[in-house]
Amino acid sequence: MNEEKLIWSEIDNINDSSTKLYKYLYDLYYTDRIKSVSSIEKVLASYLGDSRSSIRRVAIYGLLFGLKIQKEKYRTKAIQFINEPDSDLDLRMFSLSGLSQAYMGTSDVALLKLFYSLYGSDEDTDMRATCFAGMLRILGLSTMEITQMNGDVIITQEDINLERFTQQLDEIKTIVADKKS
């Protein structure tokens, strides 16, 4: 049995249990049990329209953060999740984290504008922290570098030591203010 058929066979037994399916999908991209990235991608992509928010969350996160796939269809879906008024906070934050990891170091103007606008809005403090760290990743800083510069892990807005990131924030402001983009 090929890997993709094996995956679907295993999923058939747990598809009705959100908790078991979530764990299974998460393990797909964080264990080396399945070698075919394209098989994992197909399975995760098939769950982007699932009715369960937690399953959509693990699917988009797996595609972007776990597998680091830069495909327009996943980018668009993540942005849709972020902007949908009915999306729960976790789905929005997992989508943001996924985008920042998949597009790390690209200085992607459109993504920086999205993250910056959300960071500057009246969002939840966890959401603001996710946007802040995401902007830094898109600029090219790893999570480890961000933590070292900050002096602590960033979980909420209150954890951010802004004066340590003035150079990066100035660079982001310049990028998002550029009228040519």
Side-chain angles (χ1 to χ4, degrees):
M1 180 180 298
N2 75 26
E3 286 185 320
E4 193 170 337
K5 286 182 181 178
L6 173 66
I7 295 169
W8 285 115
S9 171
E10 292 172 346
I11 286 176
D12 281 343
N13 297 320
I14 59 169
N15 200 41
D16 292 336
S17 170
S18 293
T19 304
K20 288 179 182 175
L21 181 59
Y22 184 99
K23 181 180 177 349
Y24 184 88
L25 294 176
Y26 181 88
D27 288 346
L28 269 181
Y29 54 86
Y30 277 128
T31 63
D32 288 333
R33 190 175 73 83
I34 304 297
K35 303 297 181 203
S36 170
V37 172
S38 66
S39 293
I40 298 169
E41 178 184 355
K42 285 178 191 173
V43 171
L44 293 174
S46 74
Y47 282 99
L48 291 174
D50 196 88
S51 62
R52 299 164 286 189
S53 179
S54 63
I55 301 304
R56 291 192 310 274
R57 178 185 341 138
V58 75
I60 196 67
Y61 190 77
L63 291 163
L64 296 172
F65 199 97
L67 300 177
K68 297 171 186 58
I69 297 173
Q70 290 183 4
K71 287 188 178 176
E72 189 59 34
K73 61 184 175 181
Y74 305 140
R75 176 188 174 116
T76 300
K77 192 56 141 171
I79 293 170
Q80 178 187 339
F81 290 155
I82 293 163
N83 290 327
E84 274 181 358
D86 295 338
S87 288
D88 66 42
L89 183 62
D90 287 338
L91 177 57
R92 296 178 75 211
M93 289 194 331
F94 276 54
S95 296
L96 286 162
S97 291
L99 285 168
S100 72
Q101 187 68 29
Y103 292 88
M104 178 187 255
T106 64
S107 294
D108 186 289
V109 176
L111 288 179
L112 283 172
K113 284 182 177 185
L114 172 66
F115 280 63
Y116 189 76
S117 71
L118 291 171
Y119 174 72
S121 68
D122 292 327
E123 292 289 339
D124 175 272
T125 60
D126 294 343
M127 181 73 142
R128 288 178 51 103
T130 299
C131 290
F132 183 82
M135 289 186 297
L136 296 175
R137 274 193 213 96
I138 293 168
L139 277 182
L141 294 174
S142 70
T143 301
M144 181 68 80
E145 291 169 319
I146 295 167
T147 302
Q148 288 173 343
M149 285 179 72
N150 193 56
D152 202 3
V153 174
I154 297 174
I155 297 172
T156 67
Q157 179 67 25
E158 290 79 31
D159 298 327
I160 301 171
N161 193 344
L162 282 175
E163 61 273 0
R164 296 189 178 177
F165 296 100
T166 53
Q167 178 184 341
Q168 290 79 14
L169 285 172
D170 287 346
E171 185 177 347
I172 291 166
K173 288 175 188 173
T174 300
I175 292 169
V176 301
D178 188 4
K179 302 293 184 225
K180 293 182 280 186
S181 46

